[in-house]
């Protein structure tokens, strides 16, 4: 559709490109060039545009790259192309109606997004939730982590050239989607975690099917990883790419697998345990070399640990209610509403006016699959948040792209991006 | 703590240690739901962050977040909140400064490079400027966006919308046009409902004591609490001495009735055609046309 006529050639020989025409990689020459046919001394840097529509950009990322030959000199990521004003919307909605917005942040790990928000509300209200609800939340958060890593590991592998593992890992992801649907009613946008507990209990048959999944599917995962983990090409593309020193990882605000790959054993589930993570038996994998390969392998090990946590949750899950009995916060069961006037009133009040959160401010961060996902919530005592600031994981990681890419080849950009695990729903909000 | 939110190490003694390290840079301290907030002087924020990072015993190595908040009623309307994390001490702390539209806040990019984008975001969404940040461009909003969307006086719907124009073959920006009025539901007054003024509502006004029935014979008139809408109610009761409202609305109703049909049609928004009004004997409409075919 687009031809070279779209590019306007200026008198200076520079090619001016309209920034919206970005469906392909365009190469334009910077203006300092004099005569095109002069001697070797006029070596110029290329500035190229990567994205925003590019399969390896994992969404709508636009990178302005300055190249010296094939070596990347400078990267300027332009984000915000998926900005939907989530934080503004949340200021206009009662707390309960804001939860679905969180599913749509990191749409690869929706329940982990909800987790920070409901914990922030509960912290402000001082709300205690029953043990079964805590176990269910941890179980679902870990299944979500597996689900997220299936997508990321697979696409990282595909970005550097392998096809098969991605297809195999997607099979596991599909299984998890189906379990998601049977638990919450939706394959992706679950809206399952609620202040005070979870939306509904998981039926026994679904729990046993989750157990069956955990028993049978780890082999497929190991098979898929065995194809690439020791593969020569995969290592050539990842080992020693985008190494980050420990001090840099701290200064750039890294979290999650990115900081663990740098050798810092920092996992919020372990160091600042929430829900029942302090009862869970798992280990925090760390990298030794802090390169893209380490980030990949840290995630691989995290999947195995999550598998372990999920299994432990199933084994230890107590019986009992799955939400707080405080009907000012959590709606009464449907059956009770048929007979109790009070329950009916609670239900009506809850879904029109909502509940009020005492005034105060709180910052709650949980370990999402991609790193520290935080919610800074300012409540003014009404039924709507006064301000809800979302701390995305991608913001600090993507910002570090510039120094991580310096001196690397253009083709390494996809490996670096894949190992960062960035989703733009969350980055741009 | 009752809730199951992430549990850090105890914050006991942190406020005292911070006050000892920071001296008179601290304006106020707060400990709420187990979270420490230090309000500090604006011009000293970079120094405060450096001290919090480097003082042994405090050691907040990581800057996780910078969050702006807008309070339009305050003289210095913006709050900027820095959330720091200590990996070694396993604690979090919040540093708060206030500012207005004009006064810049000192940058902390000199301490943490990650502050670059975080400050850009606060600048983009609130219009707070940061002195010393070399790259203070917009980050989340569109190229060429005007305004700061997270300010409380910025409307939720925004000012411009864009679409791809098939005729111009490019993306065009236009003022926002809402197919339906923006509805701000005030869920806080569920029981009273919103205040609408429909024609004829004046007949249902609450009556004052002493007026004709159906007002209650004793006691005050039923009180309707509602936000003062555009149509302000009159306080004067409708009695035989005060008959102003006997004819209220009649003038408008008469004017409405006397309007020409064209004007009414224009209001309703119907399409005017050249087709004549069908009559029983017009050639297009025959009674037995169905049978003829």
């Amino acid at each position: 559709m687009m031809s070279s006529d779209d590019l306007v050639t200026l008198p200076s020989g520079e090619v001016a490109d309209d920034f919206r025409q970005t469906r392909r990689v365009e190469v334009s020459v910077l203006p300092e060039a004099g005569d095109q046919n002069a001697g070797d001394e006029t070596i110029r840097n290329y500035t190229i545009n990567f994205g925003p529509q590019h399969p390896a950009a994992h969404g709508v990322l636009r990178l302005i790259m300055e190249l010296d030959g094939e070596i990347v000199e400078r990267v300027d990521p332009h984000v915000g192309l998926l900005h939907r004003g989530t934080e503004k919307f949340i200021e206009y909605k009662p707390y309960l109606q804001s939860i679905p917005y969180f599913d749509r942040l990191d749409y690869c790990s929706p329940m982990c997004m909800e987790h920070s928000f409901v914990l922030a509300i509960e912290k402000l209200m001082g709300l205690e939730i029953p043990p079964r609800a805590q176990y269910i939340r941890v179980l679902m958060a870990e299944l979500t982590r597996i689900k997220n890593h299936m997508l990321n590991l697979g696409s990282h592998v595909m970005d550097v050239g392998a096809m098969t593992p991605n297809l195999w890992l997607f099979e596991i992801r599909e299984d998890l989607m189906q379990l998601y649907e049977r638990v919450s009613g939706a394959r992706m946008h679950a809206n399952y975690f609620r202040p005070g507990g979870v939306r509904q209990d998981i039926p026994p048959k679904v729990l046993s099917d989750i157990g069956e999944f955990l028993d049978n599917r780890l082999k497929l995962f190991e098979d898929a990883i065995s194809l690439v983990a020791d593969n020569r090409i995969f290592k050539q593309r990842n080992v020693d790419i985008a190494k980050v020193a420990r001090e840099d990882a701290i200064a750039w605000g890294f979290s999650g697998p990115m900081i663990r790959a740098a050798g810092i054993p920092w996992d919020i589930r372990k160091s600042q345990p929430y829900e029942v993570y302090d009862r869970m038996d798992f280990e925090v994998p760390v990298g030794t070399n802090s390169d893209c390969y380490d980030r990949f392998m840290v995630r691989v090990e995290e999947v195995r640990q999550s598998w372990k946590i999920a299994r432990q949750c199933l084994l230890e899950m107590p019986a009992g209610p799955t939400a707080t009995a405080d009907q000012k916060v959590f709606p009464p069961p449907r059956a009770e509403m048929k007979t109790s006037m009070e329950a009916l009133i609670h239900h009506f009040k809850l879904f029109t006016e909502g509940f009020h959160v005492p005034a105060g401010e709180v910052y709650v961060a949980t370990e999402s699959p991609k790193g520290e996902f935080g919610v800074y919530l300012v409540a003014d005592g009404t039924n709507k948040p006064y301000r809800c600031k979302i701390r995305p994981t991608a913001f600090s990681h993507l910002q570090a792209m510039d120094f991580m890419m310096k001196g690397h080849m253009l083709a390494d950009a996809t490996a670096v991006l894949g190992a960062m695990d960035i989703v733009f729903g969350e980055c741009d909000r | 703590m009752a809730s199951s939110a992430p549990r850090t190490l105890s914050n006991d003694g942190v406020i005292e240690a911070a006050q000892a390290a920071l001296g008179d840079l601290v304006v106020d301290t707060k400990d709420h739901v187990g979270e420490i907030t230090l309000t500090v002087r604006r011009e000293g924020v970079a120094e405060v962050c450096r001290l919090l990072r480097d003082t042994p015993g405090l050691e907040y190595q990581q800057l996780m977040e910078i969050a702006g908040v807008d309070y339009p009623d305050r003289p210095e309307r913006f709050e900027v909140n820095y959330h720091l994390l200590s990996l070694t001490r396993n604690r979090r702390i919040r540093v708060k400064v206030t500012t207005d539209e004009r006064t810049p806040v000192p940058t902390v990019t000199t301490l943490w490079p990650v502050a670059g984008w975080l400050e850009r975001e606060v600048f983009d969404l609130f219009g707070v400027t940061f002195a010393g940040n070399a790259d203070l461009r917009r980050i989340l909003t569109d190229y060429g966006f005007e305004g700061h969307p997270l300010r409380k006086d910025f409307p939720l719907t925004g000012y411009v919308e864009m679409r791809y124009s098939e005729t111009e073959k490019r993306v065009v920006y236009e003022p926002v046009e809402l197919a339906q009025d923006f509805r701000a539901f005030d869920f806080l007054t569920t029981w009273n409902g919103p205040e609408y003024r429909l024609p004829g509502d004046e007949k249902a006004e609450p009556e004052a004591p002493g007026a004709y029935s159906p007002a209650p014979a004793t006691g005050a008139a039923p009180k309707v609490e509602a936000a003062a809408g555009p149509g302000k109610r009159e306080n004067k009761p409708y009695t035989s001495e005060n008959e102003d409202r006997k004819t209220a609305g009649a003038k408008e109703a008469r004017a409405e009735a006397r309007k020409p049909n064209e004007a009414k049609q224009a209001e309703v928004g119907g399409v005017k055609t050249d087709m004549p009004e069908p009559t029983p004997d017009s050639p297009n409409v025959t009674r037995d046309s169905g049978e003829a075919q």
Side-chain angles (χ1 to χ4, degrees), chain A residues 62 76 78-79 88 91 123 254 271-272 275 349 352 361 363 372 386-387 389 391 399 429, chain B residues 4 35 62 64-65 68 70 90 92 96 114 117 121 137 139 143 149 151-152 154 187 191:
Chain A
R62 182 181 177 213
D76 181 16
H78 285 203
V79 300
K88 186 85 174 169
E91 289 175 14
K123 189 171 182 185
F254 279 14
S271 29
Q272 306 183 346
E275 313 282 15
K349 284 282 277 182
T352 50
E361 51 188 334
Y363 177 79
E372 170 170 330
Y386 186 79
R387 169 92 171 99
K389 173 76 177 74
R391 192 261 174 200
Q399 187 178 183
R429 283 158 285 154
Chain B
S4 50
E35 295 191 7
Q62 269 196 309
M64 298 318 283
E65 173 70 305
D70 180 17
N90 197 4
R92 294 180 188 276
K96 190 188 288 274
V114 68
W117 277 24
E121 187 192 331
R137 290 174 290 160
I139 186 162
Y143 299 107
R151 288 187 177 180
K152 287 285 179 187
F154 191 94
F187 294 103
W191 302 106

Side-chain angles (χ1 to χ4, degrees), chain B residues 32-73:
Chain B
H32 181 62
V33 289
E35 295 191 7
I36 307 262
T37 308
L38 302 177
T39 310
V40 302
R41 296 228 309 271
R42 178 177 55 239
E43 58 278 8
V45 65
E47 179 65 7
V48 165
C49 288
R50 195 187 60 76
L51 285 170
L52 286 176
R53 187 185 66 175
D54 296 340
T55 308
L58 293 171
E59 297 165 25
Y60 293 95
Q61 296 101 346
Q62 269 196 309
L63 172 70
M64 298 318 283
E65 173 70 305
I66 302 180
V69 190
D70 180 17
Y71 297 93
D73 300 334

Side-chain angles (χ1 to χ4, degrees), chain B residues 212-238:
Chain B
Y212 301 117
S213 63
T218 56
K223 203 173 165 195
V224 178
E225 277 184 24
K232 203 167 173 301
R233 285 194 178 133
E234 257 185 87
N235 287 328
K236 256 196 287 182
Y238 173 43

Side-chain angles (χ1 to χ4, degrees), chain A residues 1 19-20 62 76-81 83 85 87-89 91-94 97 119-120 122-124 126-129 134 137 248-255 259 264 266 268 271-278 345 348-349 351-354 356 358-366 372 374 376 378 382-387 389-392 394-396 398-399 427-429, chain B residues 1-9 30 32-35 37 53 61-73 79 81 83 85-92 94 96 109 111-118 120-122 124-126 135 137-144 148-157 162 164 170-171 173 182 184-191:
Chain A
M1 203 177 92
F19 64 78
R20 293 194 188 87
R62 182 181 177 213
D76 181 16
H78 285 203
V79 300
L81 289 113
H83 180 60
E87 292 170 1
K88 186 85 174 169
F89 275 123
E91 289 175 14
Y92 283 78
K93 293 273 191 292
Q97 292 181 23
L119 282 177
E122 284 165 6
K123 189 171 182 185
L124 268 180
L127 200 64
E128 201 170 352
I129 69 167
Q134 299 193 22
R137 279 187 187 178
D248 284 337
I250 293 174
W252 284 91
F254 279 14
S255 55
I259 198 171
I264 301 172
W266 177 259
I268 302 178
S271 29
Q272 306 183 346
Y274 46 100
E275 313 282 15
V276 287
Y277 274 116
D278 49 351
I345 292 171
F348 178 71
K349 284 282 277 182
F351 287 105
T352 50
E353 183 181 334
H356 292 234
E361 51 188 334
V362 75
Y363 177 79
V364 169
T366 59
E372 170 170 330
Y376 170 58
V378 182
T382 62
N383 56 355
K384 293 176 202 155
Y386 186 79
R387 169 92 171 99
K389 173 76 177 74
I390 295 155
R391 192 261 174 200
F395 233 55
S396 50
L398 198 57
Q399 187 178 183
C427 180
D428 296 347
R429 283 158 285 154
Chain B
M1 209 170 3
S3 84
S4 50
R7 297 175 281 273
T8 59
L9 277 197
K30 199 172 76 174
H32 181 62
V33 289
E35 295 191 7
T37 308
R53 187 185 66 175
Q61 296 101 346
Q62 269 196 309
L63 172 70
M64 298 318 283
E65 173 70 305
I66 302 180
V69 190
D70 180 17
Y71 297 93
D73 300 334
E79 264 184 9
N81 294 283
H83 292 98
L85 167 69
S86 168
L87 298 172
T88 47
R89 302 274 157 181
N90 197 4
R91 287 184 190 127
R92 294 180 188 276
R94 183 180 307 122
K96 190 188 288 274
T109 46
L111 303 168
W112 292 287
V114 68
W117 277 24
L118 302 177
R120 273 175 73 182
E121 187 192 331
V122 178
D124 186 5
L125 302 181
F126 290 94
D135 187 28
R137 290 174 290 160
R138 285 186 178 276
I139 186 162
L140 285 181
T141 50
D142 198 359
Y143 299 107
H148 300 288
L150 272 180
R151 288 187 177 180
K152 287 285 179 187
D153 46 17
F154 191 94
L156 182 65
T157 49
M162 66 174 222
Y164 179 75
R170 67 183 181 90
V171 171
Y173 291 80
F182 177 70
F185 290 111
D186 184 10
F187 294 103
L188 278 174
T189 54
T190 312
W191 302 106

